[in-house]
Amino acid sequence: MDLQLSGRVAIVTGASKGIGLAVARTLAEEGAHVVATSRTPVELPGKAVHVAADLMDPAAPARVVTRAVEEFGGVDILVNNAGGPPPGVTLPRFGFMASDDADWRTMFEFNLFSVVRMIRAAVPVMVARGGGSIVNVSSGSARQPGAMNVDYGAAKSAVNHVGKAVSEEYGAQGVRVNTISPGPVLTDWWTRQGGAAEVISGVAGASKEDVIAKVAPEMMRLVTGRLVDPQEIADAIALLVSPRSGSTTGVDLPIDGGFLKEL
C-alpha cells in the first residue's frame, strides 16, 4: 500500500530509540522528510535531519518547528512520542504516596507540557499549508488507572484530552489529531539496567528475562502473552498520519496486546 507520505515533512520527538526511532525510520522509508528530535543523535535513511532538543525546555518546541521549516519548508506531520520516565527517573513506582509534588511536576512537564508546546508550535504552520496530521503517543495507563505510576497515568490522561480538544478545534482547517495508546512495549524503559524489568524483578523474585517474557505479560493480563514490539506501534502511526486515514480524527487507538478490557 502506498501511504502517500513521499515528500511530506514529519517531526518525530523522542526519536533516538524505541517507538520514536521505529516511527522515524518507518516514515523515512516511506519517503517523508523527517526531523528527528531527541537529546541524543540518531541516523536515519533518506532525507532526515536530527535536531538535538530537550523538550523539558519550554523554548525547544518552537526551535524544532523553525528548523523543520528552514530545512524542508513546513510541517505536515507531528508525532509526539517523547514521554515516559523523565530523565533520571526510574519507573515503575508503586502506590499513590510514592510520588511527591516535585515528581508530579516533572512528570507533567515531560509527558504533557512538551506535547502541548509542540502542538502549539506546529499547528499554525500546518494550517498555513492547508492542514496536517498529529499523533500523540499516550498509554493504556491513561484509561486504566491503578496504584502504579499514578502521576504518569494522570499526565497521559491529560494528553488524551488535549488531543480530542485540538482535533475538534482545528479539524475544519485540515488538521487531524489522533492518539495511540500502547500497552507495555519492549523498549529501553523495560530492558535497560535499572529499568522496569529489574524493578519488577526485585519485587516478584524472578529474573529480568522471566519478567519480560512471562511475569509482566501475566501481571498486565496481556491476551497476546507478550510485550508489544515498537514496530507494531510505528506501523499504526504511519497509517494514521497518512492521507489514507483522511477521515480518522479524534481517535484513541490502543495497541496493547489486550491490556485494556473495557468496551
Side-chain angles (χ1 to χ4, degrees), residues 13 55-56 61 78 80-86 103-120 136-138 151-166:
T13 69
L55 296 181
M56 301 277 279
L78 170 61
N80 279 312
N81 168 71
D103 294 325
W104 278 80
R105 280 191 290 268
T106 301
M107 190 66 70
F108 270 67
E109 188 71 39
F110 192 52
N111 285 278
L112 174 63
F113 295 134
S114 64
V115 172
V116 169
R117 293 170 184 137
M118 283 301 311
I119 294 173
R120 188 185 292 143
N136 299 322
V137 178
S138 182
D151 50 348
Y152 173 74
K156 288 300 192 181
S157 292
V159 169
N160 291 12
H161 183 103
V162 169
K164 289 275 190 181
V166 177

Side-chain angles (χ1 to χ4, degrees), residues 159-169 177 179 249-252:
V159 169
N160 291 12
H161 183 103
V162 169
K164 289 275 190 181
V166 177
S167 73
E168 179 72 16
E169 181 174 358
V177 187
T179 301
T249 193
V251 166
D252 178 15

Side-chain angles (χ1 to χ4, degrees), residues 46-60:
K47 292 185 177 180
V49 297
H50 176 257
V51 178
D54 180 356
L55 296 181
M56 301 277 279
D57 175 4

Side-chain angles (χ1 to χ4, degrees), residues 214-228:
K214 185 177 180 181
V215 175
E218 289 179 355
M219 180 179 68
M220 303 184 79
R221 299 172 59 208
L222 303 185
V223 175
T224 58
R226 63 173 177 83
L227 303 190
V228 180

Side-chain angles (χ1 to χ4, degrees), residues 140-153:
S141 299
R143 295 167 55 188
Q144 189 71 49
M148 183 169 69
N149 303 331
V150 180
D151 50 348
Y152 173 74

Side-chain angles (χ1 to χ4, degrees), residues 5-23:
L5 295 175
S6 182
R8 295 181 185 269
V9 182
I11 295 174
V12 181
T13 69
S16 65
K17 57 189 176 183
I19 294 171
L21 180 58
V23 171

Side-chain angles (χ1 to χ4, degrees), residues 15-16 34-44 48-53 67:
S16 65
V34 176
V35 177
T37 302
S38 59
R39 286 172 294 149
T40 56
V42 59
E43 293 186 6
L44 297 168
V49 297
H50 176 257
V51 178
R67 180 70 182 277

Side-chain angles (χ1 to χ4, degrees), residues 7-11 33 35 64-77 122 125-126 129:
R8 295 181 185 269
V9 182
I11 295 174
H33 303 330
V35 177
V64 173
V65 171
T66 297
R67 180 70 182 277
V69 172
E70 292 172 349
E71 290 283 343
F72 301 120
V75 178
D76 303 300
I77 296 164
V125 179
M126 290 181 172
R129 283 167 71 85

